[in-house]
Amino acid sequence: MTAILADTVALVTGASSGIGAATAKALAAHGAAVALLARRADRLVDLKSEIESSGGTALVVPADVTDAGQVAAAVRR
């Protein structure tokens, strides 16, 4: 498959499970580097490993999106 999202970075909130995790996997499969954002760091680490084992690029960013300071820090990172 062509990496149609190569040179793209996506920040995915709620990435620790469900639709967020599925979205992160799909974006990574199409070539995007994904920043995985959620409160559950342990689940994010597992998802990062899964993405990277498939050849993707991922960054774990534990954060609570209800906290504006944490969201701003996540975007800066």
Side-chain angles (χ1 to χ4, degrees):
M1 176 180 297
T2 305
I4 59 175
L5 295 176
D7 300 320
T8 300
V9 177
L11 188 148
V12 181
T13 61
S16 63
S17 65
I19 293 170
T23 299
K25 289 178 198 177
L27 289 166
H30 287 286
V34 291
L36 308 170
L37 191 72
R39 293 176 294 167
R40 302 274 318 261
D42 57 329
R43 290 187 182 187
L44 296 178
V45 169
D46 292 343
L47 179 57
K48 177 183 182 200
S49 294
E50 185 178 341
I51 288 170
E52 290 180 342
S53 71
S54 296
T57 302
L59 172 69
V60 170
V61 185
D64 182 345
V65 297
T66 65
D67 182 317
Q70 288 184 35
V71 172
V75 170
R76 282 191 302 274
R77 186 165 174 208

